[in-house]
Amino acid sequence: MSEPASTQPEGASLHAPVARLLRPLVRLFVTRGITFPALTNLLRELYVNVAEYDFALPGKEQTDSRVSLLTGIHRKEVRRLRGAGAPVSAVPVAVSRTSRIIARWLADPRFTDRAGRPLPLPRAGEGEEASFESLVAGVTRDLRPRAVLDEWLDRGLATLDPEGRIVLAQSAYVPKGGGEPQLYYFGRNLHDHIAASVANIVGEAPRFLERAVHYDGLSEDLAKRLEARAREIAMEALQQANREAHAACQTDPGGSHRWNFGLYVYAEDVPPAAASGDPA
């Protein structure tokens, strides 16, 4: 029998949604060999870090006792773990460079046709003529365009057409294989989605747009058709947002803020037990 709401432990209402949230992550942890003791150590460090930096009182020094009170972690452990600094997620150089070049190719009118599709580009051009060299040089001058092209051809990000022009093989940078680039976006995208949801819960009023369209009880055929159509709609929205953001950045003075616009599509075959309420 469940306890009356008034006598349930504080935060008990979060248990079910957090369990559902963590389930696919635990599946990843087990797959990648992150054991429960290892995860416990990581969570302990994060609890101390968040309490130390996100819950400091204005004008007051954050003490070991207060961090211990906020986290339930013994003061000796708090003292040992404090001072590590707020975690910083550095962007891998290859990820930053590749995503910026592709984003420009998809957004800059010089490198797209009237329908917004990326143009096939000659290796080099004269003056203001659009070329792969001018595309890369507009993003970075630290690398030779030929080195970038060789890397892209090797990775399948670009191909050569019969006229020798460079053709973008993918309309977005989609890392695969569980390597550093894919894991970087895994952490970044999930962080921002969860951060937006948390801000909407703890704030006085929801600030961020966070919505989903969902239907249950579908046939496999319809689920696949909806998934394919959702991909088309999502890519159209992402490409439009990329074009407008790229154009706006040309006159922006710059600053310390960042912005992220993300979409996801998911479909699965739900077992009867999960459909009746068990966590999925």
Side-chain angles (χ1 to χ4, degrees), residues 118-135:
L119 291 168
L121 300 175
R123 295 173 187 257
E126 297 182 1
E128 296 298 317
E129 182 183 357
S131 67
F132 191 77
E133 284 189 358
S134 63
L135 172 70

PDB file of all heavy atoms in Angstrom, residues 118-135:
ATOM      1  N   PRO A 118      22.901  22.138 -50.701  1.00  0.00           N
ATOM      2  CA  PRO A 118      24.337  22.415 -50.847  1.00  0.00           C
ATOM      3  C   PRO A 118      24.803  22.170 -52.275  1.00  0.00           C
ATOM      4  O   PRO A 118      24.508  21.128 -52.869  1.00  0.00           O
ATOM      5  CB  PRO A 118      24.986  21.442 -49.859  1.00  0.00           C
ATOM      6  CG  PRO A 118      23.989  20.352 -49.666  1.00  0.00           C
ATOM      7  CD  PRO A 118      22.648  21.000 -49.788  1.00  0.00           C
ATOM      8  N   LEU A 119      25.518  23.129 -52.831  1.00  0.00           N
ATOM      9  CA  LEU A 119      26.006  23.020 -54.200  1.00  0.00           C
ATOM     10  C   LEU A 119      27.226  22.107 -54.290  1.00  0.00           C
ATOM     11  O   LEU A 119      28.027  22.054 -53.360  1.00  0.00           O
ATOM     12  CB  LEU A 119      26.409  24.405 -54.718  1.00  0.00           C
ATOM     13  CG  LEU A 119      25.294  25.429 -54.969  1.00  0.00           C
ATOM     14  CD1 LEU A 119      25.904  26.800 -55.189  1.00  0.00           C
ATOM     15  CD2 LEU A 119      24.451  25.007 -56.179  1.00  0.00           C
ATOM     16  N   PRO A 120      27.388  21.396 -55.409  1.00  0.00           N
ATOM     17  CA  PRO A 120      28.683  20.750 -55.660  1.00  0.00           C
ATOM     18  C   PRO A 120      29.731  21.845 -55.841  1.00  0.00           C
ATOM     19  O   PRO A 120      29.484  22.846 -56.531  1.00  0.00           O
ATOM     20  CB  PRO A 120      28.436  19.975 -56.970  1.00  0.00           C
ATOM     21  CG  PRO A 120      26.959  19.916 -57.134  1.00  0.00           C
ATOM     22  CD  PRO A 120      26.405  21.135 -56.472  1.00  0.00           C
ATOM     23  N   LEU A 121      30.881  21.697 -55.236  1.00  0.00           N
ATOM     24  CA  LEU A 121      31.884  22.757 -55.235  1.00  0.00           C
ATOM     25  C   LEU A 121      33.155  22.321 -55.957  1.00  0.00           C
ATOM     26  O   LEU A 121      33.646  21.212 -55.727  1.00  0.00           O
ATOM     27  CB  LEU A 121      32.238  23.156 -53.803  1.00  0.00           C
ATOM     28  CG  LEU A 121      31.107  23.695 -52.928  1.00  0.00           C
ATOM     29  CD1 LEU A 121      31.601  23.930 -51.510  1.00  0.00           C
ATOM     30  CD2 LEU A 121      30.528  24.979 -53.521  1.00  0.00           C
ATOM     31  N   PRO A 122      33.699  23.212 -56.813  1.00  0.00           N
ATOM     32  CA  PRO A 122      35.025  22.921 -57.354  1.00  0.00           C
ATOM     33  C   PRO A 122      36.061  23.001 -56.234  1.00  0.00           C
ATOM     34  O   PRO A 122      35.828  23.633 -55.201  1.00  0.00           O
ATOM     35  CB  PRO A 122      35.228  24.031 -58.383  1.00  0.00           C
ATOM     36  CG  PRO A 122      34.353  25.150 -57.903  1.00  0.00           C
ATOM     37  CD  PRO A 122      33.157  24.492 -57.259  1.00  0.00           C
ATOM     38  N   ARG A 123      37.185  22.354 -56.417  1.00  0.00           N
ATOM     39  CA  ARG A 123      38.219  22.384 -55.380  1.00  0.00           C
ATOM     40  C   ARG A 123      38.689  23.799 -55.107  1.00  0.00           C
ATOM     41  O   ARG A 123      38.900  24.177 -53.957  1.00  0.00           O
ATOM     42  CB  ARG A 123      39.413  21.510 -55.784  1.00  0.00           C
ATOM     43  CG  ARG A 123      39.089  20.028 -55.877  1.00  0.00           C
ATOM     44  CD  ARG A 123      40.263  19.249 -56.450  1.00  0.00           C
ATOM     45  NE  ARG A 123      39.923  17.853 -56.691  1.00  0.00           N
ATOM     46  CZ  ARG A 123      40.294  16.856 -55.907  1.00  0.00           C
ATOM     47  NH1 ARG A 123      41.027  17.087 -54.844  1.00  0.00           N
ATOM     48  NH2 ARG A 123      39.942  15.608 -56.201  1.00  0.00           N
ATOM     49  N   ALA A 124      38.900  24.578 -56.165  1.00  0.00           N
ATOM     50  CA  ALA A 124      39.400  25.946 -56.010  1.00  0.00           C
ATOM     51  C   ALA A 124      38.619  26.860 -56.936  1.00  0.00           C
ATOM     52  O   ALA A 124      37.971  26.409 -57.888  1.00  0.00           O
ATOM     53  CB  ALA A 124      40.890  26.008 -56.322  1.00  0.00           C
ATOM     54  N   GLY A 125      38.646  28.146 -56.637  1.00  0.00           N
ATOM     55  CA  GLY A 125      37.962  29.128 -57.456  1.00  0.00           C
ATOM     56  C   GLY A 125      38.728  30.433 -57.459  1.00  0.00           C
ATOM     57  O   GLY A 125      39.693  30.616 -56.703  1.00  0.00           O
ATOM     58  N   GLU A 126      38.302  31.341 -58.292  1.00  0.00           N
ATOM     59  CA  GLU A 126      38.955  32.641 -58.394  1.00  0.00           C
ATOM     60  C   GLU A 126      38.072  33.717 -57.766  1.00  0.00           C
ATOM     61  O   GLU A 126      36.857  33.710 -57.927  1.00  0.00           O
ATOM     62  CB  GLU A 126      39.229  32.976 -59.845  1.00  0.00           C
ATOM     63  CG  GLU A 126      40.190  32.012 -60.536  1.00  0.00           C
ATOM     64  CD  GLU A 126      40.461  32.430 -61.974  1.00  0.00           C
ATOM     65  OE1 GLU A 126      39.919  33.475 -62.399  1.00  0.00           O
ATOM     66  OE2 GLU A 126      41.217  31.716 -62.657  1.00  0.00           O
ATOM     67  N   GLY A 127      38.705  34.643 -57.068  1.00  0.00           N
ATOM     68  CA  GLY A 127      37.974  35.752 -56.474  1.00  0.00           C
ATOM     69  C   GLY A 127      36.920  35.299 -55.494  1.00  0.00           C
ATOM     70  O   GLY A 127      37.187  34.524 -54.569  1.00  0.00           O
ATOM     71  N   GLU A 128      35.673  35.742 -55.712  1.00  0.00           N
ATOM     72  CA  GLU A 128      34.562  35.431 -54.824  1.00  0.00           C
ATOM     73  C   GLU A 128      33.824  34.148 -55.227  1.00  0.00           C
ATOM     74  O   GLU A 128      32.793  33.822 -54.654  1.00  0.00           O
ATOM     75  CB  GLU A 128      33.573  36.606 -54.805  1.00  0.00           C
ATOM     76  CG  GLU A 128      34.132  37.893 -54.232  1.00  0.00           C
ATOM     77  CD  GLU A 128      34.534  37.729 -52.771  1.00  0.00           C
ATOM     78  OE1 GLU A 128      33.773  37.100 -52.010  1.00  0.00           O
ATOM     79  OE2 GLU A 128      35.612  38.221 -52.396  1.00  0.00           O
ATOM     80  N   GLU A 129      34.353  33.444 -56.208  1.00  0.00           N
ATOM     81  CA  GLU A 129      33.693  32.228 -56.665  1.00  0.00           C
ATOM     82  C   GLU A 129      33.630  31.188 -55.554  1.00  0.00           C
ATOM     83  O   GLU A 129      34.607  30.966 -54.838  1.00  0.00           O
ATOM     84  CB  GLU A 129      34.446  31.648 -57.864  1.00  0.00           C
ATOM     85  CG  GLU A 129      33.806  30.401 -58.445  1.00  0.00           C
ATOM     86  CD  GLU A 129      34.619  29.816 -59.585  1.00  0.00           C
ATOM     87  OE1 GLU A 129      35.641  30.431 -59.949  1.00  0.00           O
ATOM     88  OE2 GLU A 129      34.233  28.755 -60.090  1.00  0.00           O
ATOM     89  N   ALA A 130      32.465  30.556 -55.406  1.00  0.00           N
ATOM     90  CA  ALA A 130      32.304  29.539 -54.375  1.00  0.00           C
ATOM     91  C   ALA A 130      33.137  28.315 -54.720  1.00  0.00           C
ATOM     92  O   ALA A 130      33.085  27.807 -55.851  1.00  0.00           O
ATOM     93  CB  ALA A 130      30.829  29.146 -54.257  1.00  0.00           C
ATOM     94  N   SER A 131      33.912  27.842 -53.758  1.00  0.00           N
ATOM     95  CA  SER A 131      34.750  26.657 -53.944  1.00  0.00           C
ATOM     96  C   SER A 131      34.946  25.999 -52.592  1.00  0.00           C
ATOM     97  O   SER A 131      34.650  26.588 -51.543  1.00  0.00           O
ATOM     98  CB  SER A 131      36.109  27.042 -54.532  1.00  0.00           C
ATOM     99  OG  SER A 131      36.853  27.811 -53.597  1.00  0.00           O
ATOM    100  N   PHE A 132      35.459  24.771 -52.628  1.00  0.00           N
ATOM    101  CA  PHE A 132      35.716  24.082 -51.365  1.00  0.00           C
ATOM    102  C   PHE A 132      36.801  24.816 -50.581  1.00  0.00           C
ATOM    103  O   PHE A 132      36.732  24.906 -49.350  1.00  0.00           O
ATOM    104  CB  PHE A 132      36.134  22.628 -51.624  1.00  0.00           C
ATOM    105  CG  PHE A 132      36.164  21.788 -50.386  1.00  0.00           C
ATOM    106  CD1 PHE A 132      34.989  21.297 -49.815  1.00  0.00           C
ATOM    107  CD2 PHE A 132      37.364  21.487 -49.756  1.00  0.00           C
ATOM    108  CE1 PHE A 132      35.010  20.526 -48.655  1.00  0.00           C
ATOM    109  CE2 PHE A 132      37.403  20.710 -48.599  1.00  0.00           C
ATOM    110  CZ  PHE A 132      36.215  20.231 -48.053  1.00  0.00           C
ATOM    111  N   GLU A 133      37.786  25.360 -51.279  1.00  0.00           N
ATOM    112  CA  GLU A 133      38.841  26.112 -50.598  1.00  0.00           C
ATOM    113  C   GLU A 133      38.284  27.328 -49.872  1.00  0.00           C
ATOM    114  O   GLU A 133      38.629  27.590 -48.717  1.00  0.00           O
ATOM    115  CB  GLU A 133      39.909  26.544 -51.600  1.00  0.00           C
ATOM    116  CG  GLU A 133      40.844  25.428 -52.042  1.00  0.00           C
ATOM    117  CD  GLU A 133      42.009  25.957 -52.853  1.00  0.00           C
ATOM    118  OE1 GLU A 133      42.054  27.193 -53.103  1.00  0.00           O
ATOM    119  OE2 GLU A 133      42.877  25.144 -53.224  1.00  0.00           O
ATOM    120  N   SER A 134      37.408  28.092 -50.537  1.00  0.00           N
ATOM    121  CA  SER A 134      36.849  29.286 -49.886  1.00  0.00           C
ATOM    122  C   SER A 134      35.899  28.900 -48.761  1.00  0.00           C
ATOM    123  O   SER A 134      35.789  29.619 -47.757  1.00  0.00           O
ATOM    124  CB  SER A 134      36.128  30.161 -50.917  1.00  0.00           C
ATOM    125  OG  SER A 134      35.029  29.474 -51.494  1.00  0.00           O
ATOM    126  N   LEU A 135      35.209  27.760 -48.911  1.00  0.00           N
ATOM    127  CA  LEU A 135      34.331  27.281 -47.836  1.00  0.00           C
ATOM    128  C   LEU A 135      35.138  26.998 -46.578  1.00  0.00           C
ATOM    129  O   LEU A 135      34.795  27.477 -45.484  1.00  0.00           O
ATOM    130  CB  LEU A 135      33.601  26.022 -48.287  1.00  0.00           C
ATOM    131  CG  LEU A 135      32.788  25.285 -47.214  1.00  0.00           C
ATOM    132  CD1 LEU A 135      31.564  26.095 -46.809  1.00  0.00           C
ATOM    133  CD2 LEU A 135      32.368  23.903 -47.712  1.00  0.00           C
TER     134      LEU A 135
END
